[in-house]
Amino acid sequence: QAQLVESGGGLVQVGGSLRLACRGAGIGFRGNDMGWYRQAPGKQRELVASITSIGTTNYVDSVKDRSIISRDNAENTVYLQMFSLKPEDTGVYYCNTRPSTLRINGREYWGQGTQVTVSS
């Protein structure tokens, strides 16, 4: 069964760094474009970084130059390394396929996410 498992979040001070990981199973990982999404408190989930199946990357302006998205197809894992963290980076981070998110039994599927909290 398809599954996405995110990890690597935590509590970090302003200016700190984190490396998030998301392992996919049962999704044909190698052939999928992947994205990292953030849901900040009280806000809708938004895409913050993406990587195509061949490694082309893209970032939203708010994380550009402070983040690196990468993937290891042998491990079915996509990473998001974040530097110079700011309080506005706080939120739950999810990965998913792109441009369409995973659907299981007709319903949109999201993993449990990983919480990132940046304290000032």
Side-chain angles (χ1 to χ4, degrees):
Q1 182 169 337
Q3 189 177 33
L4 296 166
V5 180
E6 298 91 349
S7 62
L11 175 63
V12 63
Q13 291 188 330
V14 169
S17 303
L18 282 174
R19 189 191 194 204
L20 310 182
C22 171
R23 188 177 182 100
I27 65 168
F29 183 88
R30 185 181 298 270
N32 274 300
D33 297 355
M34 298 295 297
W36 277 98
Y37 299 76
R38 175 175 65 210
Q39 187 160 24
K43 296 187 178 180
Q44 288 193 331
R45 192 156 30 204
E46 62 170 341
L47 177 70
V48 295
S50 61
I51 185 167
T52 68
S53 60
I54 60 171
T56 303
T57 60
N58 198 24
Y59 304 88
V60 295
D61 287 345
S62 61
V63 305
K64 199 173 184 179
D65 300 327
R66 299 190 296 116
S67 300
I68 300 174
I69 186 172
S70 60
R71 64 191 297 159
D72 183 341
N73 288 336
E75 295 293 328
N76 292 339
T77 300
V78 59
Y79 300 97
L80 183 66
Q81 191 149 12
M82 305 182 70
F83 311 91
S84 302
L85 284 162
K86 304 177 180 181
E88 51 264 43
D89 294 319
T90 294
V92 182
Y93 285 72
Y94 305 85
C95 76
N96 215 313
T97 54
R98 292 227 351 112
S100 299
T101 53
L102 279 179
R103 299 192 77 85
I104 298 177
N105 296 326
R107 298 182 66 177
E108 188 177 49
Y109 168 85
W110 292 90
Q112 84 288 350
T114 187
Q115 174 72 47
V116 172
T117 303
V118 183
S119 65
S120 56

